Amino acid sequence: MFKNKTNNQEYKSGKPRTMERNVIAKNSTFVGEISSDGDFRVDGILEGTLKTKGKVIIGVDGFIKGTIEATNAEIEGKFSGQLSIANILTIKATANISGDIVVGKLSIEPGATFNASCAMKGALKELNKTNETEQASEKTA
């Protein structure tokens, strides 16, 4: 009659579940460490660490001070701290970013404030591959 048993079995079996979106709403403040598999939207204030396998969205009124580790991110509000994004970081025109950033790919709209040191993981991998290829071709006679 009820499907709770199926849901519990699905959870216990380790099958992927639908990604949920977590929200820190406007006029809310959270201090601490958050770990999640789902997407995260911050319209309030977060001071601390946010780790997720999903996407992080900082809304226009949102502010994060601390550390973020995520797959993708879109920032419209303020961020200060260390940001590590595996794939794409999108910075909107209303964003204000400061700190240390490591990304796979970076997109910045005109008008955004970007005062950060930035390293691109993808570019480093390609550069290393190019250097290895050049060294290999130099060794052959």
Side-chain angles (χ1 to χ4, degrees):
M1 184 173 178
F2 297 104
K3 295 189 178 185
N4 285 343
K5 290 181 182 178
T6 305
N7 289 341
N8 288 338
Q9 289 172 352
E10 185 176 293
Y11 179 74
K12 290 177 184 177
S13 68
K15 291 182 182 177
R17 300 180 71 187
T18 47
M19 297 289 261
E20 301 289 332
R21 177 172 282 180
N22 303 289
V23 177
I24 295 179
K26 190 174 181 179
N27 298 323
S28 297
T29 301
F30 186 90
V31 178
E33 184 174 322
I34 299 173
S35 181
S36 173
D37 286 341
D39 295 346
F40 229 96
R41 180 172 179 96
V42 178
D43 289 313
I45 298 171
L46 169 63
E47 292 183 29
T49 302
L50 172 58
K51 294 180 183 180
T52 181
K53 294 177 184 174
K55 181 176 185 176
V56 174
I57 300 171
I58 301 176
V60 176
D61 297 320
F63 174 60
I64 295 180
K65 181 177 182 179
T67 303
I68 297 177
E69 291 180 23
T71 303
N72 294 300
E74 183 175 306
I75 301 176
E76 297 176 294
K78 295 179 181 178
F79 174 80
S80 177
Q82 294 181 326
L83 183 62
S84 180
I85 305 299
N87 290 333
I88 300 173
L89 170 61
T90 304
I91 300 174
K92 301 293 187 176
T94 55
N96 186 333
I97 310 295
S98 63
D100 297 319
I101 298 172
V102 178
V103 297
K105 294 181 181 178
L106 179 64
S107 171
I108 304 176
E109 289 184 358
T113 302
F114 187 79
N115 294 316
S117 63
C118 182
M120 296 185 75
K121 287 191 271 185
L124 292 174
K125 288 179 185 175
E126 290 175 17
L127 182 60
N128 288 337
K129 286 180 185 177
T130 305
N131 287 341
E132 289 173 5
T133 305
E134 288 176 4
Q135 289 174 356
S137 63
E138 290 175 4
K139 291 180 183 177
T140 58

